[in-house]
Amino acid sequence: VSASAKKYMTAQAHARSRVLAALASSKIEVDDKRVCALTFEQFVKRVRPKWNPLPWFHQKMCDEIQAWWDAPRPYNLIFVMPPGHGKSYFAKLAVAWIYAMNPDEQAAYTSYGQDLASDHCGEIQELMLSETYEKIAPSARLNKRRAVSDEKRGARRTKDRFDVVRRRGKFR
């Protein structure tokens, strides 16, 4: 990572810390316009409290996903680990966290097979519809009912895709 990227990432971390401190001391209110101020690690621990403390390899994935999000330029992030180490699960958590950070984000999720990609889309939707997630990210709401693929009826939500209600966010 270049020196300018490290400086940028440090500034982002300090800004996030100030927002978290203000939230903790109740000096500011969280409203529908504010995005999630949690780091990826904090998000994971909040939506999956049983995972506290995280194993070292999950901690490393959290750090890498956070650095990827904070980087000034996009880059491909690839995890090469043995089966059963949570690669797919952390990818799903990262998608939900990205929408918590920015409900206007647009993302595509790929897999080796359509059935697996559809299953993962459904699991991301389940997480985003949970009570815990709605408290963390009130701006990143999904349509509560499965809607046909008709934008005139509201935000779409099918087994393969979803739109964030009243935002530009889309997931395919």
Side-chain angles (χ1 to χ4, degrees):
V1 178
S2 71
S4 62
K6 285 182 182 177
K7 185 177 178 181
Y8 175 83
M9 289 165 34
T10 302
Q12 290 290 321
H14 288 300
R16 189 178 306 104
S17 295
R18 286 191 301 275
V19 171
L20 287 170
L23 281 170
S25 65
S26 299
K27 291 181 182 173
I28 58 176
E29 294 285 324
V30 176
D31 63 15
D32 208 39
K33 295 176 186 164
R34 184 174 307 285
V35 296
C36 176
L38 298 174
T39 65
F40 182 64
E41 179 185 351
Q42 291 165 331
F43 175 80
V44 169
K45 289 178 178 178
R46 184 82 54 93
V47 298
R48 295 293 178 254
K50 290 186 254 179
W51 292 3
N52 197 2
L54 292 171
W56 70 268
F57 51 91
H58 286 170
Q59 180 65 54
K60 181 71 174 161
M61 284 195 286
C62 287
D63 295 343
E64 292 297 328
I65 290 168
Q66 185 70 53
W68 170 81
W69 175 258
D70 290 339
R73 291 188 171 156
Y75 62 90
N76 294 329
L77 179 62
I78 300 171
F79 290 111
V80 180
M81 298 168 68
H85 279 70
K87 298 177 300 291
S88 295
Y89 198 78
F90 270 74
K92 293 179 275 189
L93 288 173
V95 169
W97 176 69
I98 287 167
Y99 284 108
M101 296 295 287
N102 182 2
D104 294 320
E105 207 51 67
Q106 295 187 12
Y109 189 95
T110 60
S111 180
Y112 66 84
Q114 180 60 42
D115 290 342
L116 183 61
S118 294
D119 289 348
H120 288 190
C121 181
E123 291 169 16
I124 293 166
Q125 290 179 41
E126 283 178 31
L127 173 60
M128 291 178 71
L129 289 167
S130 73
E131 193 174 308
T132 302
Y133 186 86
E134 288 180 358
K135 288 178 184 174
I136 293 170
S139 297
R141 291 185 309 110
L142 300 183
N143 193 340
K144 294 275 190 212
R145 57 190 171 86
R146 292 215 179 254
V148 282
S149 299
D150 181 0
E151 289 187 53
K152 293 176 184 169
R153 295 186 191 182
R156 290 177 284 189
R157 187 167 80 85
T158 65
K159 70 175 189 155
D160 299 330
R161 62 193 318 164
F162 62 80
D163 298 339
V164 179
V165 174
R166 293 189 194 99
R167 302 302 290 250
R168 291 189 308 258
K170 297 180 184 313
F171 178 85
R172 307 286 179 261

